[in-house]
Amino acid sequence: MLINSYALGASAGAFNGGDIIFTIFTFALLLLLVKKLAWGPLMGVMKQREEYVASEIEEAEKSRKEAITYLDEQRELLKEARSEAQLLIENAKKQADVQRQEITKVAHEESERMKESAKLEIEQQKEHAVAAIREQVASLSVLIASKVIEKELSSEDQEKLINEYIQEAGEGR
Amino acid sequence: MNHEAPMYEFMGLWFNLSNVLMITVASIIVLIIAVVCTRNLSMKPTGKQNFIEWVMDFVRNIINSSMDWKTGGRFHVLGVTLIMFIFVSNMLGLPFAVVVGHELWWKSPTADPAVTLTLAAMVVGLSHYYGVKLKGVGGYGKDFFKPKAFMFPLKIVEEFSNTLTLGLRLYGNIYAGEILLSLLAGSLAFSTWWGTLMAIPLTVVWQGFSVFIGSIQAFIFTLLAMVYISHKVNHDH
């Protein structure tokens, strides 16, 4: 009895064509509804996302390329700036050198000039001094002569006198 | 335990009303799942949308394993509907069976050979339709004589055996599961006191196994449907 009830012909012997038609019909309807209500919109979104991802990837690749270009550019600029800076330093050094030389030269000339003028002055002072001595010696001689003439003295006295005066002159100096 | 089907004649056709009911229920559940999961679609999928997209991708992978997406894409909806409908149908009979009087009303619709064979015949019929549509009558007809002409009778037989195996495999698995469930919960549970005791863990185990079987069968049915269609549609076979 149990076996019988679960056998293939459980549907009381009648051919259930209605089930078949109903199954087909319902499944077709379900297919249609699922396609309209769920599959369509979902596929739309999935496609949209796919496109979005693709475009994002493209964008990323593009910006990466751009970044590389920028980097190269920046590197080039940096290199240029560095060499320029080097040049500037070089120039400054050169200028400083030139200036240094000029300054030392000017200082040298100045000192030379000062030395020259100092020498000149010394010479002048010497001349002055010699002239003054000469004058004094002359006047002294005249004085000695007049003293000698004033007193007719003996040669001893004369000598004594001369010595005295010379002494005097030596002291007077 | 002698359950009968609630048969009803309408316009010369016999309807098994329990099948009609259960197919309708399964369809409504599938539709509800599909519609609920595709509300508020967004680019960044969350929760429900992830689930339905996983189903879509799963079926897409099944199709991609047998044909390229250019030809197979048109069968995507069919595959998605098939796998969801069969899975839900398989699950429907698991929690309980409703018997009114002597008639079994609540069961898996896939536990009836008429339903499964109808689905199988529909798939095979579609494969022929698309074979003609995509390759022309000539290309479609030539396929029956490949790789050798004497294979022709075998090819004819194959079409029928494909239909039968596709439908009966599903039917057999689900029906057997339901028989055992009804035996466990219906007969064993009411036999003796230790029978009742034994019936509880056994039913739990068998229900778990039936969930597994139901999922596998839904997957296999969809997979084979796509393979059969691809045989008719693909050019290099």
Side-chain angles (χ1 to χ4, degrees):
Chain A
M1 185 179 99
L2 197 67
I3 306 277
N4 232 7
S5 69
Y6 293 116
L8 248 163
S11 45
F15 173 67
N16 48 355
D19 287 1
I20 292 168
I21 291 170
F22 186 78
T23 308
I24 290 267
F25 174 75
T26 312
F27 191 80
L29 191 68
L30 179 65
L31 198 70
L32 211 76
L33 285 176
V34 165
K35 183 173 184 176
K36 254 248 151 42
L37 296 176
W39 188 81
L42 191 61
M43 281 299 121
V45 168
M46 283 171 103
K47 184 147 217 150
Q48 208 177 318
R49 181 164 56 220
E50 228 164 75
E51 274 163 16
Y52 176 74
V53 167
S55 77
E56 282 299 290
I57 287 174
E58 216 160 89
E59 195 84 355
E61 217 143 279
K62 216 170 76 187
S63 49
R64 201 174 65 101
K65 247 178 227 166
E66 233 163 70
I68 286 176
T69 322
Y70 276 136
L71 191 68
D72 277 350
E73 221 165 85
Q74 290 303 318
R75 210 170 270 161
E76 201 66 32
L77 275 178
L78 193 67
K79 216 191 227 170
E80 227 165 78
R82 201 169 279 161
S83 65
E84 211 162 294
Q86 200 72 29
L87 203 73
L88 275 176
I89 289 172
E90 208 79 10
N91 274 358
K93 260 188 196 162
K94 237 180 249 172
Q95 204 162 347
D97 229 25
V98 168
Q99 230 154 12
R100 188 171 56 92
Q101 264 167 1
E102 212 157 289
I103 286 169
T104 41
K105 206 172 110 196
V106 166
H108 208 258
E109 270 168 16
E110 181 82 14
S111 68
E112 205 70 17
R113 205 172 52 76
M114 277 166 82
K115 213 166 83 183
E116 214 61 29
S117 74
K119 258 186 192 165
L120 212 68
E121 206 163 329
I122 288 167
E123 206 68 26
Q124 243 169 10
Q125 290 293 334
K126 210 172 90 185
E127 216 103 311
H128 251 286
V130 167
I133 286 170
R134 247 184 220 147
E135 218 168 279
Q136 228 154 9
V137 166
S139 69
L140 213 59
S141 310
V142 170
L143 198 67
I144 291 167
S146 68
K147 290 257 173 153
V148 169
I149 292 163
E150 227 171 74
K151 286 179 188 183
E152 285 286 348
L153 297 171
S154 62
S155 64
E156 289 149 68
D157 283 338
Q158 256 182 29
E159 198 151 335
K160 201 180 152 200
L161 207 64
I162 284 168
N163 278 342
E164 203 174 308
Y165 277 111
I166 285 170
Q167 195 91 27
E168 216 171 287
E171 268 167 21
R173 283 251 349 209
Chain B
M1 301 313 334
N2 195 0
H3 299 150
E4 282 163 15
M7 298 303 286
Y8 178 77
E9 191 182 358
F10 179 74
M11 287 184 6
L13 288 168
W14 283 96
F15 286 86
N16 181 343
L17 287 185
S18 94
N19 276 349
V20 172
L21 171 71
M22 293 319 295
I23 288 169
T24 313
V25 169
S27 301
I28 289 172
I29 291 176
V30 169
L31 197 62
I32 287 173
I33 291 174
V35 169
V36 164
C37 289
T38 49
R39 288 315 89 183
N40 307 319
L41 290 174
S42 65
M43 295 274 279
K44 277 187 234 157
T46 50
K48 301 170 302 186
Q49 196 187 340
N50 264 333
F51 165 73
I52 198 80
E53 282 193 11
W54 173 75
V55 174
M56 298 280 169
D57 276 340
F58 187 71
V59 176
R60 189 204 296 259
N61 286 338
I62 292 176
I63 293 174
N64 275 334
S65 66
S66 57
M67 50 189 145
D68 60 6
W69 189 247
K70 228 178 106 232
T71 14
R74 73 193 74 205
F75 307 118
H76 194 208
V77 195
L78 175 69
V80 169
T81 316
L82 264 181
I83 202 167
M84 282 171 69
F85 179 75
I86 294 173
F87 177 76
V88 169
S89 298
N90 293 350
M91 292 306 120
L92 279 181
L94 290 185
F96 46 76
V98 176
V99 179
V100 179
H102 270 297
E103 294 170 337
L104 175 66
W105 279 89
W106 187 282
K107 63 188 185 75
S108 285
T110 41
D112 190 300
V115 176
T116 59
L117 281 171
T118 304
L119 288 177
M122 180 191 73
V123 165
V124 174
L126 278 176
S127 77
H128 286 280
Y129 170 73
Y130 277 102
V132 173
K133 190 183 174 189
L134 294 179
K135 298 172 83 174
V137 180
Y140 166 75
K142 259 184 225 156
D143 263 4
F144 283 97
F145 300 97
K146 282 177 185 170
K148 287 279 180 283
F150 71 85
M151 298 283 273
F152 177 68
L154 291 177
K155 287 270 185 180
I156 295 294
V157 170
E158 191 192 6
E159 295 308 320
F160 291 102
S161 66
N162 277 352
T163 315
L164 272 176
T165 53
L166 188 60
L168 290 180
R169 178 185 304 108
L170 177 59
Y171 159 68
N173 274 286
I174 304 309
Y175 190 57
E178 291 210 346
I179 286 178
L180 200 57
L181 267 187
S182 71
L183 283 178
L184 286 170
S187 302
L188 184 62
F190 295 110
S191 55
T192 53
W193 65 268
W194 54 268
T196 313
L197 225 59
M198 289 299 292
I200 294 170
L202 282 174
T203 306
V204 168
V205 167
W206 187 249
Q207 273 184 332
F209 187 60
S210 288
V211 170
F212 174 67
I213 292 283
S215 320
I216 289 286
Q217 287 306 318
F219 165 65
I220 288 178
F221 192 96
T222 313
L223 177 71
L224 285 177
M226 290 309 152
V227 167
Y228 293 157
I229 289 175
S230 78
H231 277 177
K232 288 275 169 283
V233 166
N234 273 2
H235 280 277
D236 42 2
H237 267 289

